[in-house]
Amino acid sequence: MASTVGRPESTLVWGHPKGLFYLAFTEAWERFSYYGMTALLVLYMVDQVLLPGHVEYIAGFRTFRASIEAILGPLSPQALASNAYGLYTGFVYFTPLLGGLIADRWIGQRNAVVIGALAMTGGHIAMAFDQSFLLALGLLVTGSGFLKGNISAQVGALYPPESETHRTRGFAIFSTGINFGAVAGPLLCGVLAQAYGWHVGFGAAAVFMLLGLATYLHGYRYLPARVARRTRSEATALTREDWRVIAALLVVMAFTIFQSVAYYQLSNVLPVWIQAHVALDAGAYRIPIPWFQSIDPLFSIITVPMLFWLWRRQATRQREPGDLGKIAQGAWLCMASNLVLVGAILLHGGGSVHWIWPFLYCAGQGVAFLYYWPTLLALVSRKAPAQVNATMMGLAFTSLFVGNLLIGWIGSLYEQMTPLAFWTLHAAIAAAGGLLLTLSGRSLTRLLDAVVLEQALRPSAQTREVER
């Protein structure tokens, strides 16, 4: 159980610690800047910074390119951009493990978040110059590592251990900030980039990251300085059943990588495909391509009440799928979303595709995401043994690291394939994940329930330990 060292002032707002709202707004601005910048990144690389006249001036890029091409061979600007994007987003999900370790052992969560916000602000500013492009990505990855996991840990530390209900509602409020930023960032940064140029879009991301830092510093005294973790001596040894649960969870995480690959391509190759093959005029207005990145999180927000209603209705009839069933359904929905693009390409032949088709693709991916990613996190949080719960949660995010590295590599094959073949491939990748989960669901469920069964069969030993 986490505890707080240096507990903050305990002012309440609407029944929650005041610090929660500072954290939620900080995360909203941070996600605004991150998703706004990410929505521009691939097209910025393909259309400008990796082209002759720009790429020669990027500090360190010759070494970076040689390192990648030593493994994959010569790459076009689009293929190089795809791999650069995959490395960037992959390490965004990997570095929070290191940032959390540094905060836990040395500097505390509060200082780590400030360092992360400063690094990300510097990264957004550095995006304004060709020479500092790689430095910008490095700063953004480093900043995300310090900020992403540590700010979430502070949310939990605002509440005493016995306030589980309030903590859950607090995380719901915090998640609202994430969703707001994910929707609004691409909308504003996209329209600014289309109207005034790439660097204005990146500049807006920097401004909102500065707002996030200012918000955090303004609420500094209401935030926990350090979240103390349970020490190793307090932890009990893992049983054989615990190891079986861990193994089953690792298998589930591995299977979800298939869906991650088929899902996250919407931020990598999709903008390139839209630019070349989609008619973007809606009446007299031309839709900015980054706006499509807002559709996925928007539908993740608006379909939550409908999914809760559906699952409650299924539960009353004893037909609600279990966690593994929901994750598998998410994979099938991801497959169906990719088939939307396949159908659109077949329908329009060699002509331009109407913008409604990528809209439907992104909307479907938003719903598929709700079925698989929050369900996976809830499954790991509930089933992982207490001694390694935090580690297993970190490994769940590491699966996204692997998935994003793969989308970068697979995306580099886009120019060697037809669009029809490319999106069909991603439908097949999602289907493979769904099929693996469907076929192994019962066996994995039995393994994941092993600890519950063991506790039911051996309550007397626990009772005697308590009595002593």
Side-chain angles (χ1 to χ4, degrees):
M1 183 65 67
S3 61
T4 302
V5 177
R7 187 168 289 279
E9 296 182 19
S10 57
T11 305
L12 297 180
V13 177
W14 296 333
H16 291 275
K18 193 171 184 178
L20 171 67
F21 298 93
Y22 283 105
L23 293 175
F25 276 99
T26 299
E27 184 70 353
W29 299 133
E30 185 272 327
R31 292 289 89 183
F32 188 110
S33 68
Y34 172 78
Y35 283 105
M37 174 270 185
T38 303
L40 306 180
L41 181 58
V42 171
L43 289 180
Y44 173 62
M45 288 191 284
V46 170
D47 291 345
Q48 180 168 315
V49 77
L50 296 189
L51 298 180
H54 296 274
V55 70
E56 300 90 344
Y57 300 105
I58 301 175
F61 195 80
R62 183 174 298 179
T63 301
F64 174 78
R65 182 170 196 163
S67 300
I68 295 178
E69 292 185 339
I71 301 172
L72 300 177
L75 298 173
S76 68
Q78 184 275 323
L80 192 58
S82 180
N83 279 283
Y85 176 85
L87 286 168
Y88 164 67
T89 54
F91 278 100
V92 160
Y93 287 108
F94 180 77
T95 52
L97 293 175
L98 303 179
L101 178 66
I102 293 171
D104 283 342
R105 293 196 175 185
W106 293 294
I107 64 176
Q109 281 71 26
R110 196 162 59 182
N111 291 331
V113 171
V114 172
I115 293 171
L118 287 170
M120 293 186 74
T121 300
H124 288 303
I125 294 173
M127 287 294 292
F129 309 97
D130 291 350
Q131 295 89 336
S132 55
F133 176 68
L134 287 181
L135 173 64
L137 296 183
L139 286 171
L140 289 166
V141 166
T142 302
S144 181
F146 277 106
L147 189 147
K148 191 172 179 64
N150 288 308
I151 196 171
S152 298
Q154 286 187 302
V155 174
L158 288 171
Y159 299 87
E162 64 274 10
S163 297
E164 190 63 35
T165 300
H166 280 82
R167 183 184 291 107
T168 300
R169 293 173 181 171
F171 270 105
I173 294 172
F174 181 74
S175 297
T176 302
I178 297 175
N179 291 329
F180 168 80
V183 173
L187 291 176
L188 181 59
C189 293
V191 73
L192 289 175
Q194 178 169 293
Y196 304 106
W198 296 111
H199 297 311
V200 175
F202 291 131
V207 168
F208 281 98
M209 191 64 248
L210 280 172
L211 284 174
L213 176 59
T215 301
Y216 190 83
L217 292 175
H218 190 263
Y220 203 68
R221 67 185 183 275
Y222 299 107
L223 307 175
R226 183 185 292 271
V227 179
R229 305 295 183 183
R230 181 173 57 185
T231 62
R232 185 181 298 269
S233 62
E234 295 175 287
T236 58
L238 293 170
T239 66
R240 182 175 62 180
E241 287 73 17
D242 288 333
W243 283 110
R244 289 175 177 172
V245 169
I246 291 171
L249 288 173
L250 290 175
V251 170
V252 175
M253 293 176 199
F255 288 168
T256 62
I257 291 174
F258 289 89
Q259 183 169 345
S260 294
V261 170
Y263 167 78
Y264 280 101
Q265 206 63 263
L266 64 81
S267 300
N268 182 27
V269 170
L270 181 71
V272 177
W273 177 77
I274 289 175
Q275 182 173 250
H277 298 284
V278 175
L280 293 169
D281 293 327
Y285 185 72
R286 185 168 182 81
I287 302 171
I289 296 175
W291 280 17
F292 287 91
Q293 305 303 311
S294 292
I295 298 166
D296 155 44
L298 177 62
F299 272 78
S300 290
I301 295 171
I302 64 178
T303 56
V304 164
M306 290 181 280
L307 283 182
F308 283 176
W309 173 84
L310 173 63
W311 292 337
R312 282 195 301 268
R313 183 178 176 86
Q314 290 175 330
T316 59
R317 301 179 179 181
Q318 297 184 338
R319 296 179 61 183
E320 181 183 7
D323 289 337
L324 296 184
K326 289 176 182 176
I327 296 172
Q329 287 180 7
W332 297 119
L333 287 170
C334 184
M335 177 201 72
S337 299
N338 280 279
L339 288 178
V340 167
L341 297 185
V342 172
I345 293 169
L346 290 173
L347 181 65
H348 289 81
S352 295
V353 174
H354 194 277
W355 59 263
I356 194 63
W357 294 107
F359 176 93
L360 293 174
Y361 162 83
C362 293
Q365 292 284 37
V367 179
F369 178 85
L370 282 179
Y371 268 91
Y372 107 97
W373 183 245
T375 306
L376 175 64
L377 293 183
L379 176 68
V380 174
S381 177
R382 188 172 64 256
K383 295 291 187 179
Q387 303 95 311
V388 293
N389 196 279
T391 301
M392 294 300 293
M393 290 295 286
L395 287 174
F397 280 95
T398 303
S399 71
L400 296 183
F401 164 69
V402 176
N404 277 275
L405 293 183
L406 287 172
I407 71 160
W409 171 66
I410 296 173
S412 67
L413 306 176
Y414 172 69
E415 293 176 319
Q416 304 173 33
M417 306 171 69
T418 64
L420 178 64
F422 185 81
W423 297 115
T424 301
L425 170 65
H426 283 76
I429 291 172
L435 185 62
L436 287 170
L437 283 163
T438 301
L439 294 177
S440 62
R442 290 185 178 180
S443 298
L444 289 171
T445 298
R446 284 196 296 269
L447 288 174
L448 290 171
D449 290 337
V451 170
V452 175
L453 178 60
E454 180 199 24
Q455 291 173 348
L457 293 175
R458 297 195 299 172
S460 57
Q462 297 176 2
T463 302
R464 288 195 298 271
E465 185 67 31
V466 171
E467 290 173 349
R468 284 199 298 269

